[in-house]
Amino acid sequence: MKNIKYIILLLVGGLMASCMGADYAAPELTPDHSPWGNNDIKETNVLTIAQLKSKYADVINQSSFTQIKEQIQIKGIVTGNDEKGNIYQEISLQDNTGAILVCISGSGLYGYLPVGQEVLIALDSLYIGGYGQQAEIGGVYTNTNPTSSGYGTHSIGRMDRFVWDQHYKLIGTPDKSKADALKEVFDLSLAGDAHYLEQNAGKLMTIKRVAFKDANGRNVYAPSDGSVTLLANSANRAMLNLSTGTATSISTNTLVVRTSTYADFANTILPKDTLDITGIFTRYRNTWQILLRDAEVGEGKDLRKSLPPFYTNDFTTNPFDLAVAPWTIDNGTLPAGITNVWSFDSRNGLKATAYVFPNRYETHARAISPAIDLSKAESATLTFSHTAKYFGNAKDELQVQVSTDKQNWQTLDYTSYPSGNDWTFVPATIDLTAYAGKTIYVCFYYNSSKTSAATWEIKSIKVD
């Protein structure tokens, strides 16, 4: 009986297979016949993206929205998507004239809308508007948060996935080089220009020779531990401009790199390198917000360290009292028996002593640097090479001070004091970041008494 049942099943299976073989075939996938979108859309009445944005400039610039009621289309290349999680439920679409964001309620958009995919969009019945004046195509968002001041208000938002499916058609196969060909270099000198902002917002662009201000080898792109203020679950990172040879801050009111805490690279350490950063340059009102498509890894070199120092002097070859390095001396009130504290030694540099055989004298004398301009600095470090002997307490007798007016002096601790056992020069450093943005004076402040009068020698100084 069992054998008969198996024979019947085999016959039925064979019959079904023969029917499928005659009448069923896998769909033929051609450039004009994708399994995604609406293949019935015919290309007609296509506007450039710039023309579309110009047509609806009022609602975009007013951060309002409206429904498109014309049989018009746009066509462009996908330059950014949600592949790495930093661009959420939207794609950036660009042609040779401009760019716009297309907002879609759905995930995994990169699966069928990869970077380099050309897309035709039929705009009739879709919505267009501005979110913080960033041009977007999508649907209508309703604020349903009862605790929000904007409860019940409407704005441009994401369109339903089903609606989207009826309004787009894929053209050809993805070609990343097409997206790369649209990439432009961001002109930082025009970052605050309203026309430049309006024309270029949404584009794939590269900003050259910048660095993350907060990069210290520990900070990450978008931590969720409370160490960085988050806006809509995203961290805005400030940037430094290094294109001029000096690290200058780019105002966060002008430009930031914006990273979601949900991005795949949110917890990647910020590179300390000088970078050429590529991303989608969106806007929120008058601020550029760069949306990275992936983490920037840099070139392996922190060019901030190779910038010219703010000040440098080698006292063994450049005496402190020459006109090219106008250091000044304030010896204070000198007791009888000593004529000076500070002097120049061609072998060991700047030298201070209050010992004149066979006596030690009480003195308080300063060697004061010329003005050091830190107005464009984000951070600064003082480094000097020194040695000393015959002191009692180095922290009291061999001081380094900083002032902004040469009147009020602040004593700062430094990292390495001489041993006092020999004449070995040691490097010492002081963090001057607290003085970034100011013009300062540095002084070496020598103190001696009738029982302790050191000999202090300083060979070189640098502020960078």
Side-chain angles (χ1 to χ4, degrees):
M1 194 68 182
K2 270 186 185 178
N3 290 336
I4 294 173
K5 181 169 70 175
Y6 289 144
I7 291 169
I8 293 171
L9 287 172
L10 287 170
L11 289 171
V12 171
L15 180 62
M16 290 179 67
S18 64
C19 290
M20 290 177 65
D23 301 323
Y24 177 83
E28 182 181 355
L29 303 183
T30 67
D32 296 319
H33 223 82
S34 167
W36 305 99
N38 183 354
N39 292 306
D40 293 331
I41 296 175
K42 304 300 180 184
E43 188 171 325
T44 181
N45 202 17
V46 176
L47 302 183
T48 67
I49 293 176
Q51 288 173 331
L52 178 70
K53 290 169 67 174
S54 177
K55 189 178 184 67
Y56 291 95
D58 287 345
V59 293
I60 293 171
N61 293 331
Q62 293 169 13
S63 292
S64 184
F65 68 96
T66 190
Q67 189 174 34
I68 299 171
K69 297 181 178 179
E70 300 176 74
Q71 297 291 334
I72 55 176
Q73 301 174 346
I74 58 169
K75 184 169 62 172
I77 304 295
V78 176
T79 55
N81 55 32
D82 59 354
E83 183 171 7
K84 296 295 181 176
N86 195 39
I87 299 174
Y88 181 65
Q89 293 194 341
E90 63 189 22
I91 61 170
S92 52
L93 197 72
Q94 187 169 333
D95 64 13
N96 290 320
T97 70
I100 196 165
L101 301 184
V102 183
C103 305
I104 307 152
S105 183
S107 59
L109 303 177
Y110 69 92
Y112 65 98
L113 294 168
V115 170
Q117 175 65 59
E118 188 172 13
V119 184
L120 177 68
I121 303 177
L123 297 171
D124 181 32
S125 79
L126 298 183
Y127 288 81
I128 187 170
Y131 179 79
Q133 296 177 274
Q134 170 60 55
E136 297 183 355
I137 294 168
V140 178
Y141 168 75
T142 302
N143 187 337
T144 58
N145 182 358
T147 64
S148 170
S149 59
Y151 176 66
T153 61
H154 304 289
S155 61
I156 190 70
R158 304 180 189 99
M159 70 183 88
D160 181 83
R161 180 70 171 264
F162 175 78
V163 172
W164 168 240
D165 285 342
Q166 303 306 307
H167 283 82
Y168 80 95
K169 178 181 179 179
L170 302 183
I171 301 175
T173 55
D175 183 352
K176 187 175 179 295
S177 66
K178 292 181 179 179
D180 293 339
L182 292 170
K183 182 171 61 179
E184 299 180 13
V185 175
F186 182 78
D187 189 342
L188 188 53
S189 70
L190 295 176
D193 183 272
H195 179 73
Y196 187 74
L197 185 64
E198 183 178 352
Q199 296 298 306
N200 293 283
K203 284 185 178 179
L204 175 66
M205 304 182 84
T206 296
I207 184 170
K208 291 184 173 292
R209 294 183 63 79
V210 292
F212 286 99
K213 179 179 178 181
D214 298 328
N216 59 8
R218 298 182 302 276
N219 289 337
V220 301
Y221 281 90
S224 53
D225 58 5
S227 60
V228 174
T229 300
L230 300 177
L231 298 172
N233 295 312
S234 295
N236 291 337
R237 289 295 190 182
M239 305 303 295
L240 300 175
N241 174 21
L242 289 92
S243 63
T244 60
T246 302
T248 57
S249 179
I250 303 173
S251 170
T252 53
N253 292 324
T254 300
L255 181 144
V256 295
V257 171
R258 185 169 175 81
T259 307
S260 167
T261 56
Y262 298 106
D264 292 357
F265 52 90
N267 292 308
T268 298
I269 293 174
L270 291 169
K272 295 176 67 177
D273 308 12
T274 297
L275 304 164
D276 292 344
I277 287 184
T278 297
I280 306 302
F281 280 61
T282 64
R283 69 180 295 186
Y284 184 74
R285 296 177 181 164
N286 294 323
T287 302
W288 288 98
Q289 295 184 335
I290 306 175
L291 305 182
L292 300 180
R293 299 179 302 176
D294 203 348
E296 296 286 349
V297 296
E299 301 169 0
K301 183 166 70 172
D302 185 356
L303 294 184
R304 282 175 287 194
K305 296 180 179 179
S306 66
L307 293 172
F310 298 106
Y311 177 79
T312 185
N313 199 332
D314 184 341
F315 294 120
T316 63
T317 58
N318 192 18
F320 68 92
D321 57 349
L322 291 181
V324 293
W327 283 66
T328 56
I329 298 301
D330 179 3
N331 281 311
T333 302
L334 293 174
I338 184 170
T339 58
N340 68 284
V341 172
W342 289 101
S343 63
F344 170 72
D345 185 299
S346 60
R347 185 180 63 167
N348 296 318
L350 189 57
K351 179 179 178 180
T353 185
Y355 174 73
V356 180
F357 181 82
N359 299 315
R360 299 173 180 84
Y361 297 91
E362 180 178 351
T363 62
H364 310 282
R366 289 186 171 94
I368 304 171
S369 77
I372 300 173
D373 184 5
L374 302 182
S375 61
K376 295 182 179 180
E378 288 299 319
S379 61
T381 301
L382 166 65
T383 303
F384 62 100
S385 176
H386 68 145
T387 189
K389 287 182 72 173
Y390 315 123
F391 53 84
N393 184 325
K395 291 192 70 171
D396 292 337
E397 298 173 36
L398 315 176
Q399 295 183 0
V400 177
Q401 299 180 330
V402 173
S403 174
T404 58
D405 58 8
K406 292 201 289 187
Q407 299 295 323
N408 300 290
W409 294 95
Q410 178 70 41
T411 301
L412 303 178
D413 289 335
Y414 49 89
T415 55
S416 301
Y417 292 85
S419 68
N421 299 322
D422 52 41
W423 293 108
T424 300
F425 282 85
V426 295
T429 61
I430 299 174
D431 183 4
L432 297 179
T433 299
Y435 295 92
K438 303 175 182 178
T439 295
I440 65 168
Y441 302 87
V442 172
C443 88
F444 296 104
Y445 187 39
Y446 177 90
N447 293 297
S448 63
S449 67
K450 293 180 180 180
T451 58
S452 179
T455 297
W456 190 18
E457 297 175 346
I458 298 136
K459 184 174 287 187
S460 62
I461 179 176
K462 181 172 68 172
V463 178
D464 61 0

